[in-house]
């Protein structure tokens, strides 16, 4: 495939760019942004047509930073920070400023392409075709597969969406399939999953833009200073600077954590044990918020262990569940009693009282949202409401009856009922600092001192010192669902949920569900939350992997990745023969090699993307997508910042590139199915933009853009003060009436109000998760005892020195079969890199100059024992595969641990897979290493053998990774091939 490099930028311009940015640049403020593609001011002609467009950056897919885009003579020449974006504070990082390099890259896809060579060929023999021909092929091939094998034989794949929308669910509907491969299974999804299970929404987002007066900043397994949700990244530097105490929980030192007061460098995969230890310390020192725990969690609810689970239909964030629970209810005690009334033992009256989910009220009480409170950080913090009349739900069993309170069920049998809190406190009591120190390989005194520094409030402070900032590492750490729940509960019981600088989760926004964010027109059907509509659990009965992970059927965000690839490889439980991928990445979840070979086996496979990425290697059709600088689309904060803005088109799309929404709608048309209503069966993207703008209170999209250009970002604290501008929203009803998994918007058809509390089935923050109890035992091959997972206990990762000691032997340095000095390490992976976002930007010259190769971090003492020096290439090996990365010696990593970079591939290699097998750490994992509840892969805690790469033990006698034909990868910033990636205008022929 060739490119006519007409109108290309000069080499002189490219070198000016490199000189202006500097090889060590990471994050720049607006005032320091480089000119990028622009010539110097003196070279610009006086007659140039220059405009500045206010927009929202998508260079990393998470931050939603506000940016100004400068366009000269129809070409983007500069991206810099927008001062109106309070969440990003006028900053613009390296990834953002390099966006022009992707927009005008000579290898960018601009026209539809069709494969002409076999799928296992290095050269696909791409042939340019028209969109009409592409859609004709799509319609014929997918309909043929569906007619032969059924809708479940087709798969939708989606990663971090280019325009912040999930196309996978739309293709599921198109195919009539229950299966979708989503990066969410290993990225953010597990936190949303655990959040929905615990509070009816995600809550890991921490309100970093809040200005807490006594902030303790806890950075738990995340390098959010580089890329993580809308109010992290550069903003986190301000948070860290103003905090009184800083705590880092990570096997490696992060940039933001390098000056931490406490560094808890725990063994990878033991985060859950540490969270339970901190919970134990909090309980022992009575540092928990007693009123919150009793009033707004199900901690005082009573468990009758020897009672058959009972219940019925209950509304929750995902619509509804058919509840079956051993929690004591009025219906268990008396005939005609309500199963929606949950019982507690009241110490004041000396008897049973109930919480009524139907009314979201305590017995004999009418909850009135508090009107008194404090103005904090531009928002209103209501005072906590007391029980009225007075109640004191018991958290512990009576001293004279440690087995619980004696109750008589309606059948006349006597049983003991035990508060959930009593069971949880007993479980946590095992995790003393001394015991946990052995598990985590951390000093016991350090664990306790750090916990007390965070959990002890100053005198008179009515809320916690700050939320727990946990992110991607907890999604990957083994027993992730229980780890995340333990951390979430810990933060909430210490007064750090929905408070200033606390864990808030996303906010409601007027555009988040009505504009193109959701894409799909509302179609007639059963009312939201009604039993007539059935549960997602019932509808997903045939989802791949659900026999092992039944909770995925309830959550309905992903199908297990390994289960999908199993179905492709084996045809069981049914064959998967077709797939479409938009912004997806086979290197993200499961074993990358296992997934890639599955893609090669598909009868028909379509990829819609910007470049020839590894996932596109086996594609039959390769279709061009819009870049964010060519896109119009609304945007709402993913995190707790509460920013709302627009991605505004700066330039017209290149060639015949098509946006994701139109691609989806046109696929519906190609398969002969309507997207919208009868009057407009295939609405254009512009139709939906205008429709969403009208629903947001504007005449049309253009008028919404005009206001954004003039006034900048909207602050949801001011736009919707009852939600974004109010804390403790469980007191006011704002949480219970706003279902919000990823966008913060209300679900279609949801009532205006469902009362107070949380959007869980019992309207409480659930230490005892009703969804898990109701559905967690419904798989034939589940990996846990359903009873034992009801409380978030710690479980060793599938691969660890404890669970698989044989993989960590022999200890110390030994000689492998080729005589090389080798040692076994516990590895962690997935750190953020300043110039890359997961697998993106490997082909951008500025980014690659700064970070040419993947780096394996290793402690200098460990490296010395293996004869490894800074910059050496090293082999990293497991039973599943072996890769090479470049040694980076640092004292900022725990001895015995190495850190691997993830999702590396090499665009410079002339082969279909782009060399991902050479360095992608997910080629090393066992597909069976999975969280037992959610199914997400364990990516950060497993044994690897490490030894130095030498000419003698390397292909082509070259320690540097090489392609199939011996071509070296780019491994030095002076490589002349970087100059071949100089930008072009766009619109060139592709042959």
């Amino acid at each position: 495939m060739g490119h006519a490099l007409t109108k290309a930028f000069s080499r002189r311009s490219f070198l000016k760019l490199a000189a202006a940015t500097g090889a060590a640049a990471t994050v720049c403020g607006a005032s320091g942004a480089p000119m990028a593609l622009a010539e110097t001011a003196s070279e610009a002609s006086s007659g140039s047509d220059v405009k500045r467009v206010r927009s929202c950056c998508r260079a990393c897919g998470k931050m939603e930073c506000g940016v100004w885009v400068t366009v000269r003579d129809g070409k983007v020449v500069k991206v810099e920070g927008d001062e109106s974006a309070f969440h990003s504070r006028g900053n613009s990082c390296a990834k953002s400023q390099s966006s022009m390099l992707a927009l005008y890259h000579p290898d960018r896809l601009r026209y539809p392409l069709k494969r002409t060579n076999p799928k296992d060929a290095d050269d696909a023999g791409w042939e340019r075709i028209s969109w009409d021909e592409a859609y004709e092929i799509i319609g014929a091939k997918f309909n043929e597969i569906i007619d032969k094998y059924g809708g479940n034989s087709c798969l939708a794949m989606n990663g971090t969406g280019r325009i912040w929308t999930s196309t996978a669910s739309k293709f599921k509907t198109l195919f009539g399939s229950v299966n979708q491969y989503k990066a969410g299974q290993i990225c953010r999804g597990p936190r949303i999953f655990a959040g929905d299970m615990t509070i009816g929404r995600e809550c890991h987002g921490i309100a970093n833009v809040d200005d807490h007066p006594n902030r303790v900043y806890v950075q738990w397994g995340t390098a959010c200073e580089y890329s993580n949700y809308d109010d992290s990244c550069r903003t986190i530097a301000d948070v860290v600077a103003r905090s009184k105490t800083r705590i880092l929980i990570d096997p490696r030192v992060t940039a933001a954590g390098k000056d931490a007061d406490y560094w808890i460098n725990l063994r990878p995969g033991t985060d859950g044990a540490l969270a339970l230890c901190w919970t134990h310390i909090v309980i022992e020192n009575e540092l928990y918020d007693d009123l919150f725990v009793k009033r707004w969690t199900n901690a005082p609810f009573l468990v009758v262990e020897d009672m058959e689970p009972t219940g019925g239909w209950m509304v929750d964030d995902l619509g509804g569940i058919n509840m079956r629970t051993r929690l004591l209810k009025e219906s268990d005690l008396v005939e005609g009693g309500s199963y929606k009334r949950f019982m507690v033992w009241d110490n004041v009256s000396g008897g049973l009282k109930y919480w009524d989910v139907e009314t979201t009220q305590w017995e004999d009480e009418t909850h009135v949202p508090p009107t008194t409170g404090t103005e904090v950080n531009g928002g209103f913090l209501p005072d906590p409401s007391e029980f009225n009349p007075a109640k004191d739900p018991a958290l512990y069993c009576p001293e004279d009856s440690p087995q619980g309170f004696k109750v008589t069920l309606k059948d006349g049998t006597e049983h003991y009922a035990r508060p959930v809190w009593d069971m949880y406190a007993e479980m946590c009591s095992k995790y003393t600092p001394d015991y946990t120190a052995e598990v985590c390989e951390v000093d016991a005194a350090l664990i306790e001192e750090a916990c007390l520094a965070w959990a002890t409030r100053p005198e008179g402070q009515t809320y916690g010192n700050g939320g727990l900032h946990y992110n991607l590492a907890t999604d990957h750490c083994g027993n992730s669902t229980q780890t995340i729940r333990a951390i979430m509960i810990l933060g909430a019981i210490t007064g750090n949920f929905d408070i200033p600088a606390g864990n808030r989760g996303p906010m409601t926004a007027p555009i988040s569900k009505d504009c193109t964010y959701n894409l799909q027109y509302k179609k007639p059907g059963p009312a939201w939350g009604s039993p007539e509509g059935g549960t997602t659990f019932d509808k997903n009965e045939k989802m791949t992997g659900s026999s092992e992970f039944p909770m995925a059927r309830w959550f309905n965000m992903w199908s297990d990745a390994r289960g999908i690839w199993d179905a492709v490889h084996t045809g069981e439980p049914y064959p998967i023969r077709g797939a479409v991928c938009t912004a997806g990445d086979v290197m993200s979840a499961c074993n990358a090699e296992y997934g890639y070979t599955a893609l090669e086996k598909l009868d028909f496979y379509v990829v819609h993307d910007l470049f020839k990425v590894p996932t596109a290697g086996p594609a039959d059709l390769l279709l061009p997508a819009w870049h964010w600088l060519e896109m119009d689309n609304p945007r709402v904060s993913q995190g707790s910042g509460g920013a709302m803005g627009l991605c505004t088109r700066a330039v017209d799309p290149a060639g015949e590139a098509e946006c994701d929404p139109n691609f989806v709608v046109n696929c519906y048309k190609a398969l002969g199915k309507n997207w919208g209503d009868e009057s407009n069966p295939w609405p254009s993207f512009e139709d939906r933009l205008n429709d969403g703008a009208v629903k947001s209170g504007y005449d049309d999209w253009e008028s919404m853009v005009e206001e954004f250009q003039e006034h900048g970002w909207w602050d949801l604290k001011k736009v919707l003060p009852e939600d974004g501008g109010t804390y403790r929203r469980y007191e006011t009803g704002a949480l219970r009436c706003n279902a919000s998994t990823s966008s913060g918007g209300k679900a279609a058809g949801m009532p205006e109000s469902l009362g107070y509390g949380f959007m869980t089935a019992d309207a409480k923050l659930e230490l005892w998760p009703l969804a898990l109890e109701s559905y967690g035992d419904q798989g034939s091959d589940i990996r846990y005892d359903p009873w034992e997972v009801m409380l978030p206990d710690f479980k060793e990762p599938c691969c660890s020195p404890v669970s698989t000691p044989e993989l960590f032997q022999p200890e110390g340095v030994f000689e492998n079969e080729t005589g090389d000095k080798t040692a076994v390490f516990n590895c962690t992976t997935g750190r953020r890199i300043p110039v890359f976002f997961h697998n993106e930007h490997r082909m951008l010259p500025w980014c690659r100059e700064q970070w040419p190769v993947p780096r394996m971090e290793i402690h200098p003492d460990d490296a010395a024992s293996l004869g490894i020096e800074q910059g050496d290439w090293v082999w990293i090996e497991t039973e599943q595969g072996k890769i090479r990365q470049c040694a980076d010696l640092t004292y900022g990593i725990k001895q015995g641990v190495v850190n691997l970079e993830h999702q590396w591939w090499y665009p410079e290699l002339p082969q279909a897979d782009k060399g991902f097998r050479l360095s992608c750490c997910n080629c090393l994992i066992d597909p069976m290493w999975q969280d037992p509840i959610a199914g997400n892969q364990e990516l950060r805690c497993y044994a690897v053998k490490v030894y130095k790469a030498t000419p003698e033990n390397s292909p082509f006698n070259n320690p540097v990774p090489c392609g199939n034909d011996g071509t070296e990868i780019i491994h030095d910033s002076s490589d002349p091939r970087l100059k071949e990636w100089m930008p072009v205008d766009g619109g060139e022929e592709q042959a």
Side-chain angles (χ1 to χ4, degrees), residues 155 298 354 399 487 532 555 674 787 810:
L155 170 68
N298 68 7
Y354 62 74
E399 291 185 5
I487 296 173
E532 292 78 16
F555 188 51
N674 287 359
W787 180 256

Side-chain angles (χ1 to χ4, degrees), residues 234-246:
R234 173 61 180 83
T235 310
I236 208 68
D238 299 327
V239 171
V240 172
R242 70 172 181 258
S243 61
K244 283 191 173 182
T245 304
R246 310 175 197 177

Side-chain angles (χ1 to χ4, degrees), residues 653-703:
E656 294 178 3
E658 183 60 279
C659 67
D660 298 65
N662 278 344
F663 173 61
V664 175
V665 171
N666 289 336
C667 285
Y668 270 71
K669 184 176 182 180
L671 269 70
K673 294 186 179 181
N674 287 359
W675 171 275
D677 54 33
E678 292 182 1
S679 63
N680 192 9
W682 304 297
S684 70
F685 188 42
E686 291 71 23
D687 290 340
R688 282 168 286 151
L689 282 172
N690 287 321
D691 181 61
V694 169
K695 291 177 179 177
S696 302
Y698 294 87
D699 293 337
D700 50 29
W701 175 253
E702 185 178 352
S703 61

Side-chain angles (χ1 to χ4, degrees), residues 75 81 85 133 198 214 254 293 333 456 524 705 725 767 881:
K75 182 177 293 296
E133 183 179 352
T198 307
N214 281 295
T254 64
V293 169
L333 298 170
T456 306
V705 170
L767 279 69

Side-chain angles (χ1 to χ4, degrees), residues 952-964:
E952 293 75 22
N953 65 24
S954 301
F956 305 103
N957 296 317
N958 190 349
V960 177
C962 301
N964 295 341

Side-chain angles (χ1 to χ4, degrees), residues 746-802:
K746 185 179 291 186
M750 193 172 185
E752 285 301 313
S753 176
L754 287 168
Y756 306 104
F758 296 84
M759 201 53 238
T760 52
D762 60 11
K764 297 292 188 181
L765 186 149
E766 294 186 352
L767 279 69
W768 188 273
L770 291 175
L772 180 59
E773 187 179 16
S774 299
Y775 295 135
D777 61 350
Q778 299 300 297
S780 58
D781 300 308
I782 55 176
R783 303 185 180 190
Y784 50 81
D785 182 330
W787 180 256
E788 292 181 355
V789 297
M790 290 310 300
L791 295 172
D793 201 354
F794 169 68
K795 178 178 180 291
E796 281 283 343
C798 293
C799 182
S800 81
V802 177

Side-chain angles (χ1 to χ4, degrees), residues 13-32:
S13 299
F14 179 83
L15 294 175
K16 282 185 178 180
L17 165 64
T21 57
T26 52
V27 180
C28 306
S31 61

